[in-house]
Amino acid sequence: MPGIEFFSARLFRHSFTKHVHETSTVGINDGGQGCFSYQGEARCAYPGSFNLINPDEAHTGQASSSEGWIYRNLYITVPLIEQVLEQIEWQGQGLPYFVAPVVGDQSLQSTFRQLFDVLETPTSLLEQQSLLLEFFTQLFAKHAEPHYSPRLPKSETQAIAQVRTYLEAHYSQAITIERLATLVGLNPDYLIRSFHQQVGLPPHRYQQYCQLRQAKQSLRTATPLCEIATDRGFYDQSHLNHHFKRVFGVTPGQYRQSVLSKTVGLYEP
């Protein structure tokens, strides 16, 4: 995704001298302990806490335990932050400001880890965008100034039905959240939350469900698995295998074998 970099590290002896980033830095501490100087004070990063560094703020960094310091950071450029703010209907002036450089928030940990994972593995842009908006909507609402309150989703029956129809018809294509939002005239973040509330899944998961449903039907034919995967919108066969087993409990190959055992002559000329 343009405008975002991700970085993971386990430090033992390395120390970062005082430096600045032009980006917003949002990171989670996975283990050990670290310390850094920020705004003239010493800060302690502990497992499960978040590091929140505003752009152009000078800071240092080093491990402060025998276990080292294990963490993952996202570096988000100002233009991408501005794009996110537009998509979440930010009402404040300028960029949101992180008051505390270290915060504990267990409710955000799972979303951050999901976001980090989808950014470093082959996934759809719709999934990356959706998780990015979900995480920053919560982060800005809880840990940034000025105060931000997301608009509560209302019943958007017609719009959600239109988005579902579009996802079903274009399930194998690369779809962006901007395309869906423009289609129904709703704000991207508001659309995701409204869709999730009414359907029970966010748009990217619904698209994935459509892909899996079509792939399952194709497994009743002699089409090679690798071809089914790419034709149904997956990056490759392993991508299909991962999501198919997560939803159906078996791999595509196991499902096909089960079907073959009950279907005489499926592969016969």
Side-chain angles (χ1 to χ4, degrees):
M1 180 184 293
I4 188 167
E5 293 182 351
F6 48 98
F7 175 76
S8 59
R10 181 168 187 170
L11 303 181
F12 286 98
R13 292 175 296 276
H14 182 76
S15 296
F16 292 101
T17 58
K18 186 171 288 188
H19 62 285
V20 299
H21 300 288
E22 296 178 344
T23 60
S24 288
T25 303
V26 178
I28 192 169
N29 300 295
D30 290 318
Q33 187 168 302
C35 63
F36 57 97
S37 173
Y38 182 78
Q39 295 179 337
E41 296 184 28
R43 314 286 182 167
C44 178
Y46 53 90
S49 66
F50 285 91
N51 306 320
L52 306 175
I53 308 294
N54 295 296
D56 299 320
E57 290 275 10
H59 58 284
T60 62
Q62 63 185 42
S64 58
S65 73
S66 59
E67 306 164 47
W69 182 18
I70 309 167
Y71 65 92
R72 287 178 283 178
N73 281 349
L74 295 179
Y75 301 101
I76 308 98
T77 63
V78 171
L80 181 56
I81 289 290
E82 291 172 339
Q83 180 181 329
V84 168
L85 295 179
E86 182 179 347
Q87 293 179 336
I88 68 173
E89 299 178 313
W90 173 260
Q91 300 298 318
Q93 296 295 319
L95 298 178
Y97 184 80
F98 298 125
V99 178
V102 180
V103 299
D105 192 327
Q106 189 172 0
S107 65
L108 283 178
Q109 293 178 18
S110 176
T111 307
F112 180 89
R113 292 189 170 106
Q114 287 181 57
L115 173 60
F116 199 96
D117 288 344
V118 303
L119 288 173
E120 66 173 353
T121 56
T123 51
S124 70
L125 183 58
L126 181 60
E127 183 171 7
Q128 293 178 347
Q129 292 178 316
S130 298
L131 286 173
L132 186 73
L133 289 178
E134 179 183 350
F135 176 74
F136 279 100
T137 295
Q138 298 177 50
L139 182 69
F140 291 153
K142 300 173 72 173
H143 301 295
E145 295 291 345
H147 180 71
Y148 165 66
S149 296
R151 177 161 56 115
L152 294 176
K154 299 179 181 179
S155 178
E156 301 286 354
T157 306
Q158 184 175 351
I160 300 308
Q162 191 174 352
V163 170
R164 288 183 69 166
T165 299
Y166 185 89
L167 290 171
E168 290 165 1
H170 302 84
Y171 68 89
S172 64
Q173 298 178 14
I175 300 173
T176 65
I177 190 58
E178 292 89 355
R179 177 70 188 99
L180 298 180
T182 301
L183 181 69
V184 293
L186 294 177
N187 174 271
D189 175 64
Y190 178 79
L191 169 60
I192 292 170
R193 290 185 288 112
S194 296
F195 192 99
H196 198 166
Q197 177 177 279
Q198 293 180 223
V199 179
L201 297 169
H204 71 274
R205 289 290 181 220
Y206 189 78
Q207 182 190 20
Q208 199 170 81
Y209 159 73
C210 295
Q211 292 171 335
L212 289 170
R213 183 176 61 189
Q214 295 297 326
K216 191 176 183 181
Q217 290 296 321
S218 297
L219 289 171
R220 296 177 174 272
T221 72
T223 308
L225 291 177
C226 59
E227 187 175 326
I228 291 175
T230 54
D231 285 350
R232 298 297 177 254
F234 296 94
Y235 282 89
D236 53 28
Q237 187 174 330
S238 64
H239 191 210
L240 167 63
N241 289 350
H242 171 75
H243 290 291
F244 195 95
K245 186 170 184 178
R246 189 177 66 176
V247 172
F248 299 117
V250 295
T251 66
Q254 289 170 331
Y255 178 79
R256 170 174 274 177
Q257 186 176 15
S258 174
V259 171
L260 283 174
S261 67
K262 300 174 183 178
T263 307
V264 177
L266 180 63
Y267 285 169
E268 292 180 0

